Amino acid sequence: MKKIAMIGVALCATLSFLLAQTPKKPAGSQSSVTRGKKVYEQYCLTCHQVDGSGVPHLNPPLIKTSFVLGDKGKLIQVILKGMQASEPIDDEYYSNNMPPHNFLKDQEIADVLTYVRRNFGNKASAVTTADVKTARAKN
Amino acid sequence: MKTNVVLLGCLSLLSASCLADNGDSSAIHRSAGADQANAGLKLPAGFKAQVVAENLGAARHIAVTPLGDIYVKIQSSKPGKAIAVLHPTGSGKPDAVKTFGTYRGTGMVIKDHYLYTSSDEDVYRYQLNDKFEVMHPDQPEKIVTGLINRHQHESKSIALDNAGNIYVNIGAYSNSCQQQDRAKGSKGIPGCPILDSAAGIWQFKADKLNQTYGDGVRYATGLRNVVGLDWNTAQNQLFVMQHGRDGLFDMFPEYYDLQQGNELPAECMYALKKGDNAGWPYIYYDGIQHKKMLSPEYGGDGKKTGGADAIDPVVAFPAHMAPNGLLFYTGNQFPERYKNGAFIAFHGSWNRQKGQKGYYVVFVPFKDGKPSGNWEVFADNFTGVENIQSPGQAQHRPCGLAQGPDGALYVTDDVKGTVYKISYSGK
């Protein structure tokens, strides 16, 4: 009887140990997308809109633009430094300014860009915290 | 802080459902009430709308000659496409559209025998012949030059008085004069330097060439950006519509919740006298409390009032609706209550969350130079969709207004370049 209880406790301990371990595995890009969506809603949605379509002539869309689908380093810099260039983006001018978002954590930037690159009709690879670290180190 | 967290939670939930909706194109319904006979617009009884032109490009402000020809300023830098000229035939529709000029810009006014237009840096005028046709489309006189254009709020909208002056809006190249434009929590620059060369209305002579800042007068200041403005001839006074500031919730969530961010500040109509200050960037107008409030960039917290030296608005409209056209109606075609009242074209909001607002033409009745009743929606359904979530969904966005010689009201749309003519028949 005592033995069974012991085994039970041991089993429980192993189980809860295993349970506690599984969610702590390195975050897959699916959960990155889920978290990125939250970041998007809080910091990007007003300007780039709920569907990523932007505001005509004011804020650019995040749908298949050369920035969104292009070089990750360049894309990360847009988030870190913002954009006030008023240079044409895919042949369109946008009159608003984008403020820097360098206050976001590496993880948040990786998440939001992964979300953007996997949504609004975009299909591009995930952005990792390592990518963000590398980009930040260049500044 | 706790409420903020809860609110943010709610926000992400709600936006999540918006996102879901938007992926599904069936979420964009054609509005049921739209009457195709009225070009899809919803109007008060007795009014009819007709499409005079379509596909002109980004049709901004508009002017109609005493003989009924229509001039439309197109926001385009394409060679020869700055101004569209329509000469309506018997059916009311023009046979062909002619264009001339090469510069972006919004302003378009006819005064006596001149057509006045603006790019985003300069003001031009073109002499008209006895049929009110532009005589030298390739040789405008440049009357004002070198106005600041830093791309944000760049429209140099114009109005003329009856004493030979032209009034030019020079919008602030900033949201609220922060150290870092639109950055979360960024403070306001003390003694905002933008006010020296922008964020106001400048007065110039209508007939003098090559004037710039030194030749003009800063007629009124503390106006963030004015796109719609008109000289009220009954009152002999300039009236303007200000685009109010953005981002109270986005940038200062410690003082404002999402709802307040959506509903503040009011879009304001001001009646200006020389030397007036409307208070930007130090204050904004809270249309719910009817108070001038200290901006959070300058020490405000959503509760402190400010702006003892700033004028009060004549009318306060809901936030973020972007008034792009203002016209005081002086015609005889519409019923008596419209006489001397104000029509305002609201381009429609983008920085509300969970549903946008505006995208219509409203009317405010006036008596003795003051509003004599509440504002009301006059022409609606420009977007062609219900519950618009994002401006990109709008099929049309009202922008410019003009009155025809017969007293009809013209409205431009800068999405598809439609020109609407709204007439009253009583039927």
Side-chain angles (χ1 to χ4, degrees), chain B residues 413-424:
Chain B
D413 141 51
D414 66 356
V415 177
K416 296 226 175 101
T418 312
V419 176
Y420 300 89
K421 180 180 185 180
I422 301 176
S423 312
Y424 182 74

Side-chain angles (χ1 to χ4, degrees), chain B residues 143-198:
Chain B
I143 56 174
V144 185
T145 185
L147 303 179
I148 206 158
N149 170 15
R150 296 204 188 155
H151 305 286
Q152 191 172 174
H153 305 148
E154 70 274 36
S155 295
K156 304 296 182 287
S157 303
I158 50 178
L160 285 96
D161 66 13
N162 293 319
N165 298 304
I166 186 164
Y167 300 84
V168 185
N169 167 65
I170 308 177
Y173 43 90
S174 162
N175 174 40
S176 51
C177 209
Q178 287 167 291
Q179 318 261 1
Q180 176 81 57
D181 189 30
R182 294 176 192 263
K184 192 160 179 276
S186 175
K187 289 270 174 269
I189 306 173
C192 179
I194 293 173
L195 294 163
D196 297 342
S197 60

Side-chain angles (χ1 to χ4, degrees), chain B residues 393-416:
Chain B
Q393 297 170 345
Q395 295 179 12
H396 306 279
R397 300 179 78 181
C399 186
L401 297 170
Q403 186 182 305
D406 58 354
L409 179 72
Y410 290 81
V411 184
T412 59
D413 141 51
D414 66 356
V415 177
K416 296 226 175 101

Side-chain angles (χ1 to χ4, degrees), chain B residues 56-263:
Chain B
L56 294 180
R60 300 286 287 177
H61 285 175
I62 172 169
V64 186
T65 73
L67 294 178
D69 285 349
I70 302 161
Y71 287 88
V72 186
K73 183 73 193 72
I74 310 299
Q75 178 73 290
S76 165
S77 46
K78 283 194 200 127
K81 298 287 184 200
I83 296 161
V85 195
L86 318 174
H87 177 72
T89 57
S91 67
K93 289 211 177 197
D95 37 15
V97 177
K98 285 187 207 137
T99 63
F100 62 93
T102 303
Y103 49 93
R104 288 166 60 84
T106 292
M108 174 67 69
V109 175
I110 288 171
K111 181 77 183 168
D112 302 327
H113 271 276
Y114 282 94
L115 172 73
Y116 294 83
T117 68
S118 67
S119 69
D120 295 333
E121 301 86 18
D122 306 317
V123 183
Y124 301 94
R125 71 172 189 173
Y126 299 82
Q127 200 178 352
L128 303 175
N129 65 18
D130 56 357
K131 288 188 196 140
F132 297 95
E133 295 161 342
V134 167
M135 293 166 70
H136 308 292
D138 297 328
Q139 292 156 358
E141 297 174 47
K142 194 183 269 188
I143 56 174
V144 185
T145 185
L147 303 179
I148 206 158
N149 170 15
R150 296 204 188 155
H151 305 286
Q152 191 172 174
H153 305 148
E154 70 274 36
S155 295
K156 304 296 182 287
S157 303
I158 50 178
L160 285 96
D161 66 13
N162 293 319
N165 298 304
I166 186 164
Y167 300 84
V168 185
N169 167 65
I170 308 177
Y173 43 90
S174 162
N175 174 40
S176 51
C177 209
Q178 287 167 291
Q179 318 261 1
Q180 176 81 57
D181 189 30
R182 294 176 192 263
K184 192 160 179 276
S186 175
K187 289 270 174 269
I189 306 173
C192 179
I194 293 173
L195 294 163
D196 297 342
S197 60
I201 303 290
W202 266 253
Q203 183 196 50
F204 296 96
K205 294 276 168 259
D207 61 355
K208 215 176 125 196
L209 300 186
N210 295 314
Q211 303 165 86
T212 189
Y213 282 102
D215 307 293
V217 172
R218 191 177 72 176
Y219 189 77
T221 188
L223 289 156
R224 179 176 173 274
N225 185 33
V226 168
V227 186
L229 73 174
D230 194 19
W231 188 261
N232 180 324
T233 46
Q235 205 59 21
N236 210 25
Q237 190 173 11
L238 182 67
F239 281 67
V240 301
M241 293 294 315
Q242 175 180 240
H243 281 218
R245 57 159 303 153
D246 306 329
L248 286 171
F249 164 66
D250 295 329
M251 299 189 304
F252 298 93
E254 63 274 37
Y255 302 133
Y256 302 90
D257 63 25
L258 174 75
Q259 184 66 15
Q260 289 170 314
N262 280 346
E263 301 303 335

Side-chain angles (χ1 to χ4, degrees), chain A residues 37-38 40-43 45-59 81 84-86 92-101 103 115 120, chain B residues 8 11-13 15-19 22 58 104 150-154 173-174 180-184 246 250 350-353 356 389-393 397 414:
Chain A
K37 186 174 179 197
K38 288 224 170 70
Y40 184 82
E41 283 158 3
Q42 190 174 350
Y43 296 110
L45 181 144
T46 343
C47 290
H48 292 288
Q49 301 289 303
V50 68
D51 50 3
S53 65
V55 179
H57 314 295
L58 217 60
N59 305 321
K81 293 184 178 159
Q84 294 87 30
S86 301
E92 238 325 319
Y93 279 94
Y94 297 94
S95 29
N96 206 355
N97 286 332
M98 171 161 162
H101 284 73
F103 59 88
Y115 170 71
F120 313 138
Chain B
L8 283 173
L11 163 63
S12 37
L13 267 174
S15 330
S17 57
C18 292
L19 278 166
N22 263 293
R104 288 166 60 84
R150 296 204 188 155
H151 305 286
Q152 191 172 174
H153 305 148
E154 70 274 36
Y173 43 90
S174 162
Q180 176 81 57
D181 189 30
R182 294 176 192 263
K184 192 160 179 276
D246 306 329
D250 295 329
W350 59 269
N351 61 350
R352 286 176 168 259
Q353 292 192 29
Q356 305 298 345
Q389 296 296 322
S390 173
Q393 297 170 345
R397 300 179 78 181
D414 66 356

